[in-house]
Amino acid sequence: MIHASGSKMSNKELEAIEKKGEKTASENGSTVELKRELGLFSAVNLILGVMIGSGIFVSPASALEHSGSVALCLIVWTVSGIISLLGALSFAELGTVLGKSGAEYSYFQEAFGKRHKYWGPLPSFICAWIYVVILRPAEVAIIVMTFAEYAIQPFTSELHPDYKGVVIKLGSLAALFIMTYINITSVKLFVKVQNIFGVCKVFACLIVIGGGIYEIAKGNTENLSKGFEGSTNSAGGIALALYSGLWAYDGWNSVTVVTEEIINPGVNVPLSISIAVPLITGLYVFMNVAYMTVLSYSEMISVPAVAVAFGARVLGPFSFIIPLGVAIATFGCAMSVQFGVTRVCYTAARGGHMLEVFSFVNMKRLTPAPAVALQAFLTSIFISVGNIKTLIDFASWFLWFFYGLAMVALLVLRKTKRDTPRPYRVPTLVPCFVLLVAIFLSILPIVHDPSVKYLMAIGFMALGVVVYTVFVYYKKTPTKLLNKFTFLTQVLFESVPPSNHED
């Protein structure tokens, strides 16, 4: 949150580090900045990596519970996929016209940042504050804890529950260390690991779908034949069902978070979205058909892990594939979420809304090492706390609030940057529709089910306003302490300001 730049320090040792970084870059014939290393296949896998997490394997029944019937639930999953695609295509226009990483943060800065000295930059800061400090680290913590739970499942069946909880936390921290090492070491290493995991995830989904097709071929259609029986007629219930579906689809904007690292973004950003989101929509709808073929309504909403119950009933001795699939899906998802949020942190620091040292780049590996380390530190705190699911309860509310504001930013930029070349453009009706959906999903659940969690969400935003006012707007910062922190961070992570550093 504080603009404390090591590059402006008079410390001779720090200057030596930065000169060393410049020398290393010149010797390698390159500049110290993030490189474009994600092609189309890797961009598609990044979206798959973030979107396919534990949700579709462990708890897809929430949408069924709120919709009340098999047919309406399948409609909800389909509509959620269509909404996600429309939102992602709107983000594709924003990402390609601006060409900056950071997704919503960058869009808010460009659309609103210069309109008022105080209020203009505030939406960008609040977005970075929520995503970087609270939401994404908590999300990664829950995902890696799910990974650890399924990864150790074959070895801890006889273990006491108290000890099992400790083992899960230790396994989570170990997984966090590995993914942090990958993200600090090399973007190419991340791409290789993510591509392998992406293929494995799709394979696990296809196994579930194949099991469902086999059961339908046997004539097991009793559960599916109930159709719309029991459907809810409550608008609030439908909103909550959509929340559940859209939460499973979250991550459709992930490729726009790393626009600056996409090769030929004007083509690959919209194309990767057009491939990945419909593919995942198809997988999710048919996986739900498979679940509902084998499991009754009451079983779907009561079992702790739907895919595991499905596997035990259909796959027999090969049922171990499902927990293995969940472990692969969750590890890959957590690694991709961490990869994305570090770019938000990097971009926000570059814009003066986070400590500037978090915009620095490792001079050898060309990764935002300080930003990755910050996310690992915050995530480890959430893992240690353990019971943080209440934070995720209002995650969808945060997400759709910012998605709606991004649609406003798109419409504003259509006016203020009308002459800027647009490699990709969506019909105006699309962002308008997504904005209406965002308003619906932001207001109706509060009216339908007033809860303290929404007050907590507003409280986090209010705290962000205080931090912004004191540390960003009025710049009330402990300069000497921050300079020492910047120096130590640069030495520890061999990081220097990027060559495209914005003062």
Side-chain angles (χ1 to χ4, degrees):
M1 290 113 247
I2 308 120
H3 209 67
S5 172
S7 61
K8 298 176 184 175
M9 294 166 59
S10 59
N11 192 308
K12 292 183 180 179
E13 292 177 286
L14 188 53
E15 290 177 2
I17 291 174
E18 294 181 6
K19 286 180 181 178
K20 183 181 176 183
E22 292 170 2
K23 182 180 178 183
T24 302
S26 62
E27 288 174 353
N28 294 336
S30 62
T31 54
V32 182
E33 60 185 13
L34 303 185
K35 300 296 183 182
R36 296 192 184 276
E37 300 188 81
L38 300 174
L40 177 60
F41 184 74
S42 298
V44 169
N45 261 308
L46 178 62
I47 300 172
L48 291 173
V50 178
M51 290 182 72
I52 303 178
S54 62
I56 192 62
F57 293 102
V58 179
S59 56
S62 182
L64 176 62
E65 186 176 6
H66 290 301
S67 58
S69 71
V70 170
L72 185 56
C73 179
L74 293 177
I75 290 173
V76 165
W77 280 101
T78 305
V79 170
S80 296
I82 293 170
I83 292 171
S84 299
L85 177 61
L86 296 177
L89 291 174
S90 299
F91 269 61
E93 177 180 333
L94 285 162
T96 54
V97 74
L98 298 181
K100 294 182 179 179
S101 294
E104 296 101 312
Y105 173 84
S106 295
Y107 310 153
F108 299 161
Q109 275 285 77
E110 198 68 33
F112 314 124
K114 297 178 182 178
R115 291 182 170 269
H116 189 276
K117 188 177 179 181
Y118 177 86
W119 297 105
L122 184 58
S124 294
F125 176 84
I126 295 298
C127 179
W129 165 259
I130 295 297
Y131 278 4
V132 174
V133 178
I134 301 163
L135 191 57
R136 294 310 188 194
E139 184 181 346
V140 172
I142 285 182
I143 296 170
V144 294
M145 289 173 76
T146 303
F147 160 79
E149 184 176 355
Y150 281 87
I152 68 172
Q153 195 176 70
F155 314 105
T156 58
S157 56
E158 304 297 326
L159 201 61
H160 189 276
D162 291 342
Y163 295 118
K164 189 174 181 179
V166 174
V167 173
I168 288 173
K169 285 190 177 183
L170 291 175
S172 302
L173 292 171
L176 177 64
F177 174 81
I178 293 170
M179 67 181 64
T180 300
Y181 172 79
I182 291 170
N183 280 329
I184 283 181
T185 300
S186 165
V187 173
K188 287 184 178 178
L189 178 60
F190 165 81
V191 168
K192 288 177 182 177
V193 174
Q194 189 55 63
N195 287 349
I196 294 170
F197 275 47
V199 172
C200 292
K201 286 182 186 187
V202 173
F203 180 68
C205 294
L206 291 175
I207 287 176
V208 172
I209 293 171
I213 292 172
Y214 173 74
E215 290 295 322
I216 291 174
K218 284 170 53 180
N220 189 1
T221 58
E222 181 183 349
N223 294 332
L224 294 176
S225 63
K226 293 182 180 179
F228 288 96
E229 182 182 324
S231 296
T232 182
N233 54 9
S234 163
I238 293 173
L240 292 173
L242 279 172
Y243 254 144
S244 302
L246 290 166
W247 174 248
Y249 282 100
D250 184 47
W252 44 259
N253 66 329
S254 53
V255 75
T256 61
V257 176
V258 295
T259 301
E260 293 174 39
E261 295 171 78
I262 301 291
I263 299 169
N264 192 9
V267 173
N268 286 335
V269 168
L271 188 55
S272 62
I273 288 168
S274 300
I275 294 171
V277 179
L279 173 62
I280 292 169
T281 301
L283 290 174
Y284 280 9
V285 171
F286 286 112
M287 285 178 76
N288 273 278
V289 171
Y291 293 147
M292 294 170 186
T293 300
V294 175
L295 303 172
S296 67
Y297 177 91
S298 58
E299 288 173 322
M300 281 276 290
I301 64 175
S302 61
V303 294
V306 173
V308 174
F310 172 89
R313 193 165 296 182
V314 176
L315 301 178
F318 298 100
S319 59
F320 71 89
I321 292 175
I322 299 300
L324 179 62
V326 174
I328 291 172
T330 48
F331 184 88
C333 179
M335 185 174 64
S336 296
V337 172
Q338 186 193 65
F339 181 87
V341 73
T342 57
R343 272 56 183 178
V344 177
C345 181
Y346 166 85
T347 307
R350 201 169 57 180
H353 286 167
M354 292 280 161
L355 287 174
E356 196 171 4
V357 72
F358 295 125
S359 71
F360 289 4
V361 177
N362 182 282
M363 59 191 182
K364 295 178 181 177
R365 299 184 173 93
L366 303 181
T367 59
V372 177
L374 172 66
Q375 283 304 300
F377 173 71
L378 294 173
T379 301
S380 65
I381 292 175
F382 284 118
I383 290 173
S384 301
V385 171
N387 186 20
I388 54 174
K389 290 193 175 181
T390 50
L391 283 176
I392 300 301
D393 284 344
F394 53 76
S396 287
W397 188 88
F398 271 137
L399 292 171
W400 280 96
F401 176 84
F402 290 129
Y403 292 160
L405 195 56
M407 296 304 106
V408 175
L410 189 154
L411 297 173
V412 169
L413 290 171
R414 287 270 182 94
K415 296 285 187 182
T416 58
K417 289 185 174 289
R418 61 167 59 90
D419 297 326
T420 302
R422 281 170 166 74
Y424 176 79
R425 182 186 176 103
V426 291
T428 305
L429 185 62
V430 171
C432 291
F433 172 74
V434 176
L435 175 59
L436 291 175
V437 171
I439 293 171
F440 173 76
L441 293 173
S442 298
I443 295 176
L444 204 61
I446 299 177
V447 176
H448 177 74
D449 181 28
S451 171
V452 69
K453 63 189 177 187
Y454 298 115
L455 287 177
M456 290 175 64
I458 295 169
F460 279 127
M461 286 186 170
L463 180 59
V465 173
V466 173
V467 173
Y468 168 80
T469 303
V470 175
F471 296 115
V472 177
Y473 188 72
Y474 287 112
K475 295 180 170 43
K476 302 293 184 181
T477 58
T479 306
K480 290 184 179 179
L481 180 63
L482 289 176
N483 285 344
K484 289 181 180 179
F485 175 74
T486 299
F487 172 69
L488 290 174
T489 303
Q490 287 195 256
V491 171
L492 183 62
F493 295 104
E494 297 183 301
S495 299
V496 294
S499 301
N500 58 357
H501 184 64
E502 297 175 6
D503 291 322

